[in-house]
Amino acid sequence: MFNIEVLDQFYNELSKSNGMSVAEFRQKYSMLLTESRTDRDAKDYRLGKDPWKKLRDEVAPVFRFLKYSQINPSRIRFPLDNNTPDCWLLDVDGEDRGVEVTIERGRERYHLAKELNEAGEGRGFIGVQDDASQEEFDTQMSSPQSTYSTEQALDAMKSGVISCLKKKKNVRYSKVFYLLIQADLSVIPNQRWSTIENDLWQVACDLPFKEIHVIGNADGELYGFQIK
């Protein structure tokens, strides 16, 4: 059973001063995904409630990033202390590299998860930005489900990623190597994301990070792309 006690033990191992080997991290995280959870814990994970929030919003995105990328650090460490960066990849080509993680349109993700928890099924996209009013979210979520076009999804995702980028334009990240922006890339076919990559690069190029990646939020078939 993957419960809070097991989660706390995993957190303790990840946050040790020397972290854990990446091989062990991959193995343990993958094993935990196969373990059963109570309905309450599964719902709390979807909503990003403590203590599941850091697993959902920091640990899981980095795991997916390592799985899709060609980066091969020897060890990994998550400070889990709400400071910058969220993660350290240790001994990558002879250096330690910090990783900052952010979530694209996190408020929409919360409302979609809440609907799924309450109804047992839910929609996958509404296209609302994080700076929208609560009234707009309530209106969208109370409306009948409807289809969306590829153009609608691209426009919403582009605005969401650009908002994430602008929030990270800060000198405090000058020594952080990677920025990971997690988004639901499953809303449209993978090949369509290339049409907005240049627009994203125009905003990303001035940020202090050496590399910036957009990664999917699914543990199955992974997809991502680099914008800097």
Side-chain angles (χ1 to χ4, degrees), residues 149-196:
S149 68
T150 296
E151 288 69 27
Q152 286 175 311
L154 276 172
D155 183 63
M157 301 289 280
K158 181 173 77 171
S159 296
V161 172
I162 287 175
S163 176
C164 289
L165 291 169
K166 289 181 175 179
K167 290 176 182 177
K168 297 299 181 180
K169 192 173 183 179
N170 192 305
V171 294
R172 66 182 289 196
Y173 302 113
S174 60
K175 295 183 179 180
V176 182
F177 197 96
Y178 300 105
L179 172 62
L180 308 184
I181 301 173
Q182 181 171 270
D184 185 0
L185 300 183
S186 67
V187 296
I188 62 170
N190 291 345
Q191 63 268 24
R192 296 303 302 272
W193 295 114
S194 62
T195 62
I196 64 171

Side-chain angles (χ1 to χ4, degrees), residues 137-156:
F137 276 101
D138 292 342
T139 298
Q140 289 290 333
M141 295 304 298
S142 62
S143 301
Q145 293 190 39
S146 60
T147 59
Y148 59 88
S149 68
T150 296
E151 288 69 27
Q152 286 175 311
L154 276 172
D155 183 63

Side-chain angles (χ1 to χ4, degrees), residues 1-186:
M1 174 70 72
F2 186 14
N3 55 26
I4 292 176
E5 182 180 351
V6 173
L7 177 65
D8 285 341
Q9 182 180 350
F10 188 47
Y11 281 164
N12 288 335
E13 293 172 348
L14 287 174
S15 60
K16 289 180 179 178
S17 59
N18 64 339
M20 70 166 58
S21 73
V22 169
E24 183 181 10
F25 170 64
R26 292 178 190 270
Q27 180 185 36
K28 288 196 172 185
Y29 180 85
S30 298
M31 182 183 67
L32 290 174
L33 289 183
T34 67
E35 296 288 334
S36 61
R37 275 180 278 183
T38 66
D39 183 62
R40 170 69 178 274
D41 284 343
K43 288 179 176 179
D44 284 352
Y45 175 85
R46 287 195 197 110
L47 294 174
K49 287 187 175 182
D50 288 332
W52 299 96
K53 180 175 175 58
K54 288 191 180 297
L55 182 72
R56 190 195 70 165
D57 292 349
E58 296 180 16
V59 178
V62 172
F63 173 84
R64 296 175 188 131
F65 173 62
L66 290 175
K67 196 171 181 180
Y68 112 90
S69 71
Q70 301 299 314
I71 301 164
N72 190 31
S74 62
R75 302 188 69 81
I76 188 168
R77 178 175 177 264
F78 289 85
L80 304 176
D81 58 2
N82 298 317
N83 290 318
T84 301
D86 295 318
C87 171
W88 284 100
L89 302 181
L90 308 178
D91 192 17
V92 184
D93 297 330
E95 65 176 353
D96 296 343
R97 297 179 179 178
V99 183
E100 185 73 9
V101 184
T102 190
I103 309 299
E104 187 266 341
R105 289 184 307 120
R107 288 182 68 199
E108 175 171 317
R109 180 182 182 183
Y110 170 82
H111 283 279
L112 297 178
K114 186 171 182 286
E115 179 182 58
L116 178 59
N117 281 353
E118 294 174 353
E121 60 182 10
R123 65 201 84 194
F125 174 83
I126 57 174
V128 182
Q129 300 298 316
D130 277 347
D131 59 359
S133 67
Q134 185 58 47
E135 181 180 4
E136 184 172 351
F137 276 101
D138 292 342
T139 298
Q140 289 290 333
M141 295 304 298
S142 62
S143 301
Q145 293 190 39
S146 60
T147 59
Y148 59 88
S149 68
T150 296
E151 288 69 27
Q152 286 175 311
L154 276 172
D155 183 63
M157 301 289 280
K158 181 173 77 171
S159 296
V161 172
I162 287 175
S163 176
C164 289
L165 291 169
K166 289 181 175 179
K167 290 176 182 177
K168 297 299 181 180
K169 192 173 183 179
N170 192 305
V171 294
R172 66 182 289 196
Y173 302 113
S174 60
K175 295 183 179 180
V176 182
F177 197 96
Y178 300 105
L179 172 62
L180 308 184
I181 301 173
Q182 181 171 270
D184 185 0
L185 300 183
S186 67

